[in-house]
Amino acid sequence: MIPFSVLDLAPIAAGATPADAFRNSLELAQHAEEWGYRRFWLAEHHNMPGIASAATAVIIGHVAGGTKTIRVGAGGVMLPNHAPLVIAEQFGTLASLYPGRIDLGLGRAPGTDVPTTRALRRDSKSTGDDFPRDVLELQSYFEPVEPGQKIRAVPGAGLRVPIWLLGSSLFGAQLAAMLGLPFAFTSHFAPADMMAGASSVSKRLQNRRSSSTGPTPCWA
């Protein structure tokens, strides 16, 4: 049986409020859990009157607290908007509250318009080129603390929260293959590129298998 999951934006219906959207998201997650769905992910968007999932980690906690078994996570957190340490602390907290049920999907788009990007206090010169470095930094905060380590995520260190890379281009697919991380392709953004992304991952996997026995990525 193919495992199914849900990607939710916490949409605000006409005439409704964000509080209504959060109740609806929780109800949807509870039904998804009852129906045997594997994951319930929420996406980060900003300055969009019809979407209430801006504070993604907060609503993930809301949904995880109202469910019992389904995995809950971000699909995803837009990493360029945040310091990796902050995300490690947030998801380390979630993983501590709901062990074995939290996923962290990462994207490199801003998830909003240019003025809002500036309001989020991102570096105006950032183009997403720092994304691979930021992913590695974030991964490091989930590893056990090394002797003499000056900066650590509390909570977060040693929890190894599962990280997924999200993307609508070959860049994300290739990076996932290089890092051995699961990859979720946003085919609703770029359906024509999906098979090219799969081919790119497959080629890099072949190279990895010939030189390494480490973990390999998979498609959502």
Side-chain angles (χ1 to χ4, degrees):
M1 179 177 177
I2 298 174
F4 288 98
S5 300
V6 175
L7 173 63
D8 186 32
L9 306 183
I12 305 172
T17 67
D20 296 324
F22 297 145
R23 284 191 290 270
N24 291 339
S25 289
L26 177 56
E27 183 177 354
L28 177 59
Q30 290 169 337
H31 283 301
E33 181 175 72
E34 179 182 353
W35 296 331
Y37 281 62
R38 177 172 293 183
R39 291 181 169 86
F40 191 92
W41 281 5
L42 292 131
E44 175 185 347
H45 292 281
H46 300 278
N47 196 32
M48 296 185 181
I51 295 178
S53 55
T56 316
V58 178
I59 188 172
I60 287 172
H62 169 65
V63 170
T67 52
K68 297 178 180 179
T69 58
I70 194 169
R71 296 191 67 90
V72 186
V77 163
M78 300 298 104
L79 189 54
N81 293 339
H82 311 278
L85 177 60
V86 172
I87 298 304
E89 292 170 340
Q90 291 177 355
F91 279 79
T93 299
L94 289 167
S96 297
L97 291 169
Y98 310 104
R101 295 183 55 209
I102 300 299
D103 296 323
L104 174 53
L106 301 173
R108 68 184 185 112
T112 187
D113 53 74
V114 174
T116 308
T117 296
R118 297 194 185 102
L120 287 166
R121 302 184 184 275
R122 293 179 68 222
D123 184 350
S124 61
K125 297 180 181 179
S126 176
T127 62
D129 292 340
D130 294 334
F131 184 68
R133 183 187 65 188
D134 288 344
V135 171
L136 290 172
E137 180 182 346
L138 178 53
Q139 281 185 296
S140 72
Y141 291 131
F142 289 136
E143 295 297 322
V145 175
E146 297 289 341
Q149 182 175 330
K150 294 182 179 180
I151 301 174
R152 62 185 69 180
V154 183
L159 295 182
R160 292 188 170 135
V161 175
I163 291 177
W164 292 64
L165 295 190
L166 316 179
S168 58
S169 69
L170 297 183
F171 178 92
Q174 291 170 347
L175 181 62
M178 289 175 64
L179 299 181
L181 293 175
F183 181 72
F185 190 82
T186 52
S187 57
H188 54 296
F189 285 171
D193 292 334
M194 183 172 179
M195 296 313 298
S199 176
S200 175
V201 169
S202 297
K203 290 178 181 178
R204 287 188 177 270
L205 282 179
Q206 291 174 2
N207 293 336
R208 282 180 60 87
R209 290 193 183 106
S210 65
S211 60
S212 171
T213 57
T216 57
C218 61
W219 290 76

